[in-house]
Amino acid sequence: MTEMTIGVPRFRGRVRRPEVLVIGGGLSGMTAALAARRTGAEVALVAEGAGVLELASGCIDRLAVPFEALPPAHPYRLLGMAVVEDEIAEFRAEMARVGWPLSPGEHEVITALGARRPTHLVGPGMAAPPPGEPVWVVGFRGLRDFDPAVVAAGMGGVPWSWVDLPGNPEEVHPVALARQLENEAYREEVIDAVLSARDAAGLSIGASGLATGASGVETVAPGLATGASGLAAGASGLAAGASGPAAGASGLTTGAAGLSIGASGLATGASGQGAAGSSHGRRWVLFPAVLGLAGAVKVQEDLAAATGMCVAEVLLPPPSVPGLRLAEALRRAVQQAGVDLALGARAVRAEVENGRVRAVVCEGPGGQVTYEAEAYVLATGGLLGGGIAAEGLEVREPLFGLRVATPGSSGQAPARRDSSGEDAPRQEQGSTRQAAAPRDPSCWADADFLPAGGHPFVRVGVPVDEELRPEGLANLFVCGRTLAGYDPYAEGCGGGVAVATGGAAGRLAGCLALSDGGERR
């Protein structure tokens, strides 16, 4: 068993013999480990780092283009959409078991520019308000990369306000603020400031909906009349101050406020799924996505109860607090499932014999450890995560020397070493390994900066069969961004491919390790 001390693994032996070894600790690797454990196999996971979830949205995209438009080598084509849906459902169940429910459906999230982006699985508080619902955007002074005025403009000129944090910090890191908001005393101070901003913006709650009449707040949308959102404008319209946005007594700045509400109050048109509180008859308040980490639900609920509004969060540039929430939930799930988790351990060498992986050697703070498993899952990422290495136009998979599909590629991989450390004989060109890339760089990228079909280099990866096995290795399964044949950006399927292929690879590896046909020690 691996002992964890402040994230540093201590190994009790130089040779470990799990039934399944997962290499990689990102979304696909963690999902693979959970799936392998569900088969009953003993599972170990080794990872040099924690993946790139802190760069991601924390949401799971499924597919933004028609299935029929996907290329034949796309992972969804290999698995079939029925398997994809099953694996996503299993992933949701795993997250719910550790207290992080993910809501499925045709959701949207709000970006830091106020744009709506479609997605499939969202965590608590991440689903965007339905179009036409009344919205108020709140920003925290000192928080990098979030301007409520920019978000409000992107959403069509909705009201927005600045709120000063306790102590008036000049700059605050999003992850640090998320942790601070889980402190009840600090959170109460922030809530008081938010309520002052709400009242100053004329958004306090009245008997017939939202009452107005704030003092010391000037609006920046003269003559604004509302229609689709269900707000009736007052007879005199909205009066704008000559100087634009002005700061109120509490040190906040408000824009597009002072709305006059007619007798009918607010008209609602959606259930508000994914937000803290029901949307019926209430305004939405949007905060930057920093409302806590593991305790995010409690922070969101407290803000919703205090403001009388539905709470949703706006995505920020990395580091992503929602991505870290998902990473923490995954880590809890893996540990509770009984996976032998070794973070900080780098896989440095693989031993292959007769078309099977025999061992993987890892190095970490505890020294060198050899893992001898029945089945292996490779989830080390792509070009960004280091699972695919590039030197100029030469691209290779560094651990097993697997064939890498590149735009217009041909050639053969460099010699790999056998268990004795000697160069093993090369395989015939095109049979199992391929690393040489085309010398013409023009076939790697489209001439347009943002082409509709994406850039060819994004699809670089390891080609596999319908059981996610690379050519020539019967007990190795590949998943996630290491795979070839898909563009997570142009096709809107990054998280979905990671979850679906991770789940399928882990399940297949577990079944192989436990099958009568597997080679047992």
Short mmCIF file of all heavy atoms in Angstrom, two decimals, residues 39-85:
data_model
loop_
_atom_site.label_atom_id
_atom_site.label_comp_id
_atom_site.label_asym_id
_atom_site.label_seq_id
_atom_site.Cartn_x
_atom_site.Cartn_y
_atom_site.Cartn_z
N THR A 39 -14.43 -3.06 -11.64
CA THR A 39 -14.39 -4.45 -12.09
C THR A 39 -13.93 -5.39 -10.99
O THR A 39 -14.01 -6.61 -11.14
CB THR A 39 -13.44 -4.61 -13.30
OG1 THR A 39 -12.09 -4.38 -12.86
CG2 THR A 39 -13.80 -3.63 -14.40
N GLY A 40 -13.42 -4.85 -9.89
CA GLY A 40 -12.89 -5.66 -8.80
C GLY A 40 -11.39 -5.83 -8.84
O GLY A 40 -10.83 -6.49 -7.96
N ALA A 41 -10.73 -5.22 -9.80
CA ALA A 41 -9.27 -5.36 -9.91
C ALA A 41 -8.57 -4.48 -8.88
O ALA A 41 -9.09 -3.45 -8.46
CB ALA A 41 -8.81 -4.98 -11.32
N GLU A 42 -7.38 -4.91 -8.48
CA GLU A 42 -6.51 -4.07 -7.66
C GLU A 42 -5.81 -3.07 -8.58
O GLU A 42 -5.21 -3.46 -9.58
CB GLU A 42 -5.48 -4.92 -6.93
CG GLU A 42 -6.08 -5.87 -5.90
CD GLU A 42 -5.02 -6.70 -5.21
OE1 GLU A 42 -3.82 -6.50 -5.52
OE2 GLU A 42 -5.39 -7.54 -4.38
N VAL A 43 -5.90 -1.79 -8.24
CA VAL A 43 -5.48 -0.74 -9.15
C VAL A 43 -4.47 0.17 -8.46
O VAL A 43 -4.65 0.56 -7.30
CB VAL A 43 -6.68 0.10 -9.63
CG1 VAL A 43 -6.23 1.19 -10.60
CG2 VAL A 43 -7.72 -0.81 -10.30
N ALA A 44 -3.41 0.51 -9.18
CA ALA A 44 -2.48 1.55 -8.76
C ALA A 44 -2.47 2.64 -9.81
O ALA A 44 -2.63 2.37 -11.01
CB ALA A 44 -1.07 0.98 -8.57
N LEU A 45 -2.30 3.88 -9.37
CA LEU A 45 -2.20 5.01 -10.29
C LEU A 45 -0.94 5.79 -9.95
O LEU A 45 -0.71 6.15 -8.79
CB LEU A 45 -3.43 5.92 -10.18
CG LEU A 45 -3.50 7.11 -11.14
CD1 LEU A 45 -4.95 7.43 -11.48
CD2 LEU A 45 -2.82 8.35 -10.58
N VAL A 46 -0.11 6.02 -10.96
CA VAL A 46 1.09 6.83 -10.78
C VAL A 46 0.98 8.06 -11.66
O VAL A 46 0.50 7.99 -12.80
CB VAL A 46 2.37 6.03 -11.12
CG1 VAL A 46 2.55 4.86 -10.17
CG2 VAL A 46 2.35 5.55 -12.57
N ALA A 47 1.39 9.19 -11.12
CA ALA A 47 1.31 10.43 -11.89
C ALA A 47 2.38 11.38 -11.42
O ALA A 47 2.59 11.55 -10.22
CB ALA A 47 -0.07 11.07 -11.72
N GLU A 48 3.04 12.01 -12.38
CA GLU A 48 4.06 12.99 -12.03
C GLU A 48 3.43 14.26 -11.51
O GLU A 48 3.95 14.91 -10.62
CB GLU A 48 4.92 13.30 -13.26
CG GLU A 48 6.08 14.24 -12.97
CD GLU A 48 6.96 14.43 -14.18
OE1 GLU A 48 6.61 13.95 -15.27
OE2 GLU A 48 8.02 15.07 -14.04
N GLY A 49 2.30 14.63 -12.06
CA GLY A 49 1.57 15.82 -11.64
C GLY A 49 0.10 15.52 -11.49
O GLY A 49 -0.33 14.37 -11.50
N ALA A 50 -0.68 16.58 -11.37
CA ALA A 50 -2.12 16.43 -11.14
C ALA A 50 -2.94 16.68 -12.39
O ALA A 50 -4.14 16.93 -12.31
CB ALA A 50 -2.57 17.39 -10.03
N GLY A 51 -2.32 16.62 -13.57
CA GLY A 51 -3.06 16.86 -14.80
C GLY A 51 -3.26 18.34 -15.04
O GLY A 51 -2.66 19.20 -14.39
N VAL A 52 -4.13 18.66 -15.98
CA VAL A 52 -4.34 20.05 -16.37
C VAL A 52 -5.76 20.52 -16.06
O VAL A 52 -6.27 21.45 -16.68
CB VAL A 52 -4.04 20.24 -17.88
CG1 VAL A 52 -2.57 20.01 -18.16
CG2 VAL A 52 -4.91 19.32 -18.73
N LEU A 53 -6.41 19.89 -15.07
CA LEU A 53 -7.77 20.30 -14.74
C LEU A 53 -7.84 21.74 -14.25
O LEU A 53 -8.86 22.40 -14.40
CB LEU A 53 -8.37 19.36 -13.69
CG LEU A 53 -8.97 18.06 -14.24
CD1 LEU A 53 -9.42 17.16 -13.10
CD2 LEU A 53 -10.14 18.35 -15.17
N GLU A 54 -6.76 22.24 -13.65
CA GLU A 54 -6.79 23.63 -13.18
C GLU A 54 -6.78 24.62 -14.34
O GLU A 54 -7.02 25.81 -14.15
CB GLU A 54 -5.62 23.92 -12.26
CG GLU A 54 -4.27 23.94 -12.92
CD GLU A 54 -3.16 24.36 -11.96
OE1 GLU A 54 -3.29 24.06 -10.76
OE2 GLU A 54 -2.19 24.97 -12.43
N LEU A 55 -6.55 24.11 -15.55
CA LEU A 55 -6.63 24.96 -16.74
C LEU A 55 -7.99 24.83 -17.41
O LEU A 55 -8.28 25.56 -18.37
CB LEU A 55 -5.54 24.58 -17.75
CG LEU A 55 -4.10 24.59 -17.24
CD1 LEU A 55 -3.15 24.16 -18.36
CD2 LEU A 55 -3.73 25.97 -16.71
N ALA A 56 -8.83 23.91 -16.94
CA ALA A 56 -10.10 23.61 -17.59
C ALA A 56 -11.26 24.27 -16.85
O ALA A 56 -11.10 24.84 -15.77
CB ALA A 56 -10.30 22.09 -17.66
N SER A 57 -12.44 24.16 -17.43
CA SER A 57 -13.61 24.86 -16.90
C SER A 57 -14.27 24.14 -15.72
O SER A 57 -15.09 24.74 -15.03
CB SER A 57 -14.65 25.01 -18.02
OG SER A 57 -15.17 23.75 -18.40
N GLY A 58 -13.93 22.88 -15.51
CA GLY A 58 -14.63 22.10 -14.50
C GLY A 58 -15.93 21.53 -15.00
O GLY A 58 -16.62 20.79 -14.29
N CYS A 59 -16.32 21.87 -16.24
CA CYS A 59 -17.50 21.31 -16.89
C CYS A 59 -17.07 20.22 -17.87
O CYS A 59 -15.90 20.16 -18.26
CB CYS A 59 -18.29 22.38 -17.62
SG CYS A 59 -18.76 23.79 -16.58
N ILE A 60 -17.99 19.38 -18.26
CA ILE A 60 -17.70 18.30 -19.20
C ILE A 60 -18.47 18.53 -20.48
O ILE A 60 -19.71 18.43 -20.51
CB ILE A 60 -18.05 16.92 -18.60
CG1 ILE A 60 -17.32 16.69 -17.28
CG2 ILE A 60 -17.73 15.81 -19.61
CD1 ILE A 60 -15.82 16.66 -17.40
N ASP A 61 -17.76 18.88 -21.55
CA ASP A 61 -18.39 18.98 -22.87
C ASP A 61 -18.57 17.58 -23.44
O ASP A 61 -17.72 16.70 -23.22
CB ASP A 61 -17.52 19.81 -23.82
CG ASP A 61 -17.32 21.23 -23.34
OD1 ASP A 61 -18.10 21.68 -22.49
OD2 ASP A 61 -16.37 21.89 -23.81
N ARG A 62 -19.64 17.37 -24.16
CA ARG A 62 -19.86 16.06 -24.78
C ARG A 62 -19.58 16.11 -26.27
O ARG A 62 -18.67 15.44 -26.76
CB ARG A 62 -21.29 15.58 -24.51
CG ARG A 62 -21.59 14.20 -25.10
CD ARG A 62 -22.99 13.75 -24.74
NE ARG A 62 -23.99 14.75 -25.11
CZ ARG A 62 -25.29 14.61 -24.89
NH1 ARG A 62 -25.75 13.53 -24.29
NH2 ARG A 62 -26.15 15.56 -25.24
N LEU A 63 -20.34 16.89 -27.03
CA LEU A 63 -20.14 16.97 -28.48
C LEU A 63 -20.90 18.17 -29.00
O LEU A 63 -22.09 18.33 -28.72
CB LEU A 63 -20.62 15.69 -29.18
CG LEU A 63 -20.28 15.55 -30.67
CD1 LEU A 63 -18.78 15.55 -30.88
CD2 LEU A 63 -20.89 14.27 -31.23
N ALA A 64 -20.21 19.03 -29.76
CA ALA A 64 -20.83 20.24 -30.27
C ALA A 64 -21.10 20.17 -31.77
O ALA A 64 -21.61 21.13 -32.33
CB ALA A 64 -19.94 21.45 -29.97
N VAL A 65 -20.76 19.07 -32.40
CA VAL A 65 -21.01 18.89 -33.83
C VAL A 65 -21.78 17.59 -34.02
O VAL A 65 -21.79 16.73 -33.14
CB VAL A 65 -19.68 18.86 -34.63
CG1 VAL A 65 -18.91 20.16 -34.44
CG2 VAL A 65 -18.82 17.67 -34.21
N PRO A 66 -22.42 17.40 -35.17
CA PRO A 66 -23.13 16.14 -35.41
C PRO A 66 -22.18 14.94 -35.39
O PRO A 66 -21.05 15.03 -35.87
CB PRO A 66 -23.74 16.33 -36.80
CG PRO A 66 -23.82 17.81 -36.99
CD PRO A 66 -22.63 18.37 -36.27
N PHE A 67 -22.64 13.83 -34.83
CA PHE A 67 -21.82 12.62 -34.76
C PHE A 67 -21.37 12.20 -36.15
O PHE A 67 -20.25 11.72 -36.34
CB PHE A 67 -22.63 11.50 -34.10
CG PHE A 67 -21.90 10.20 -34.01
CD1 PHE A 67 -20.94 9.98 -33.03
CD2 PHE A 67 -22.15 9.18 -34.92
CE1 PHE A 67 -20.26 8.78 -32.95
CE2 PHE A 67 -21.48 7.97 -34.85
CZ PHE A 67 -20.53 7.77 -33.86
N GLU A 68 -22.24 12.37 -37.15
CA GLU A 68 -21.93 11.95 -38.52
C GLU A 68 -20.76 12.73 -39.11
O GLU A 68 -20.13 12.28 -40.07
CB GLU A 68 -23.16 12.12 -39.42
CG GLU A 68 -24.33 11.21 -39.06
CD GLU A 68 -25.05 11.63 -37.79
OE1 GLU A 68 -24.88 12.82 -37.38
OE2 GLU A 68 -25.77 10.81 -37.20
N ALA A 69 -20.48 13.92 -38.54
CA ALA A 69 -19.39 14.74 -39.07
C ALA A 69 -18.02 14.34 -38.52
O ALA A 69 -17.00 14.87 -38.97
CB ALA A 69 -19.66 16.22 -38.74
N LEU A 70 -17.98 13.42 -37.55
CA LEU A 70 -16.71 13.04 -36.94
C LEU A 70 -15.91 12.14 -37.87
O LEU A 70 -16.47 11.31 -38.58
CB LEU A 70 -16.96 12.30 -35.62
CG LEU A 70 -17.73 13.08 -34.54
CD1 LEU A 70 -17.93 12.21 -33.31
CD2 LEU A 70 -17.00 14.37 -34.19
N PRO A 71 -14.58 12.26 -37.87
CA PRO A 71 -13.75 11.41 -38.71
C PRO A 71 -13.76 9.97 -38.21
O PRO A 71 -14.07 9.70 -37.04
CB PRO A 71 -12.35 12.03 -38.58
CG PRO A 71 -12.39 12.76 -37.27
CD PRO A 71 -13.78 13.25 -37.11
N PRO A 72 -13.42 9.00 -39.06
CA PRO A 72 -13.48 7.58 -38.67
C PRO A 72 -12.63 7.23 -37.47
O PRO A 72 -12.98 6.34 -36.70
CB PRO A 72 -13.00 6.85 -39.93
CG PRO A 72 -13.27 7.79 -41.05
CD PRO A 72 -13.08 9.17 -40.48
N ALA A 73 -11.48 7.92 -37.29
CA ALA A 73 -10.59 7.59 -36.18
C ALA A 73 -10.95 8.29 -34.88
O ALA A 73 -10.26 8.13 -33.87
CB ALA A 73 -9.14 7.95 -36.55
N HIS A 74 -12.03 9.05 -34.88
CA HIS A 74 -12.44 9.76 -33.67
C HIS A 74 -12.75 8.76 -32.56
O HIS A 74 -13.36 7.72 -32.81
CB HIS A 74 -13.67 10.63 -33.95
CG HIS A 74 -13.96 11.64 -32.89
ND1 HIS A 74 -14.51 11.32 -31.67
CD2 HIS A 74 -13.78 12.99 -32.87
CE1 HIS A 74 -14.65 12.41 -30.94
NE2 HIS A 74 -14.22 13.44 -31.64
N PRO A 75 -12.35 9.02 -31.31
CA PRO A 75 -12.63 8.07 -30.23
C PRO A 75 -14.11 7.74 -30.07
O PRO A 75 -14.46 6.60 -29.73
CB PRO A 75 -12.10 8.80 -28.99
CG PRO A 75 -11.00 9.68 -29.51
CD PRO A 75 -11.46 10.13 -30.85
N TYR A 76 -15.00 8.70 -30.32
CA TYR A 76 -16.43 8.40 -30.25
C TYR A 76 -16.85 7.40 -31.32
O TYR A 76 -17.74 6.56 -31.10
CB TYR A 76 -17.25 9.69 -30.40
CG TYR A 76 -17.30 10.57 -29.19
CD1 TYR A 76 -17.98 11.79 -29.21
CD2 TYR A 76 -16.66 10.22 -28.00
CE1 TYR A 76 -18.04 12.61 -28.10
CE2 TYR A 76 -16.71 11.04 -26.89
CZ TYR A 76 -17.40 12.23 -26.94
OH TYR A 76 -17.46 13.04 -25.84
N ARG A 77 -16.25 7.51 -32.49
CA ARG A 77 -16.54 6.54 -33.56
C ARG A 77 -16.08 5.14 -33.15
O ARG A 77 -16.76 4.14 -33.42
CB ARG A 77 -15.84 6.96 -34.84
CG ARG A 77 -16.43 8.16 -35.53
CD ARG A 77 -17.62 7.77 -36.38
NE ARG A 77 -17.98 8.81 -37.31
CZ ARG A 77 -18.98 8.73 -38.16
NH1 ARG A 77 -19.72 7.62 -38.19
NH2 ARG A 77 -19.27 9.73 -38.98
N LEU A 78 -14.93 5.06 -32.50
CA LEU A 78 -14.39 3.77 -32.11
C LEU A 78 -15.26 3.12 -31.03
O LEU A 78 -15.51 1.91 -31.06
CB LEU A 78 -12.96 3.93 -31.60
CG LEU A 78 -11.94 4.49 -32.60
CD1 LEU A 78 -10.58 4.65 -31.93
CD2 LEU A 78 -11.82 3.59 -33.82
N LEU A 79 -15.72 3.91 -30.07
CA LEU A 79 -16.49 3.36 -28.95
C LEU A 79 -17.96 3.21 -29.28
O LEU A 79 -18.61 2.25 -28.81
CB LEU A 79 -16.34 4.27 -27.73
CG LEU A 79 -14.96 4.39 -27.09
CD1 LEU A 79 -15.02 5.38 -25.93
CD2 LEU A 79 -14.46 3.03 -26.60
N GLY A 80 -18.53 4.14 -30.05
CA GLY A 80 -19.97 4.20 -30.25
C GLY A 80 -20.61 5.07 -29.18
O GLY A 80 -20.20 5.06 -28.02
N MET A 81 -21.61 5.85 -29.56
CA MET A 81 -22.19 6.81 -28.63
C MET A 81 -22.91 6.14 -27.47
O MET A 81 -23.04 6.74 -26.39
CB MET A 81 -23.14 7.74 -29.37
CG MET A 81 -22.44 8.81 -30.19
SD MET A 81 -21.22 9.81 -29.25
CE MET A 81 -22.29 10.71 -28.14
N ALA A 82 -23.38 4.91 -27.62
CA ALA A 82 -24.02 4.22 -26.49
C ALA A 82 -23.02 4.00 -25.36
O ALA A 82 -23.33 4.22 -24.18
CB ALA A 82 -24.61 2.88 -26.95
N VAL A 83 -21.79 3.60 -25.71
CA VAL A 83 -20.75 3.42 -24.70
C VAL A 83 -20.37 4.77 -24.10
O VAL A 83 -20.17 4.89 -22.89
CB VAL A 83 -19.52 2.74 -25.32
CG1 VAL A 83 -18.35 2.71 -24.34
CG2 VAL A 83 -19.87 1.33 -25.77
N VAL A 84 -20.27 5.80 -24.94
CA VAL A 84 -19.94 7.14 -24.44
C VAL A 84 -20.95 7.58 -23.39
O VAL A 84 -20.58 8.06 -22.31
CB VAL A 84 -19.89 8.15 -25.61
CG1 VAL A 84 -19.77 9.58 -25.08
CG2 VAL A 84 -18.74 7.82 -26.55
N GLU A 85 -22.23 7.42 -23.68
CA GLU A 85 -23.27 7.84 -22.73
C GLU A 85 -23.19 7.02 -21.44
O GLU A 85 -23.37 7.56 -20.34
CB GLU A 85 -24.65 7.69 -23.37
CG GLU A 85 -24.88 8.56 -24.60
CD GLU A 85 -24.92 10.04 -24.28
OE1 GLU A 85 -24.86 10.41 -23.09
OE2 GLU A 85 -25.00 10.84 -25.23
#
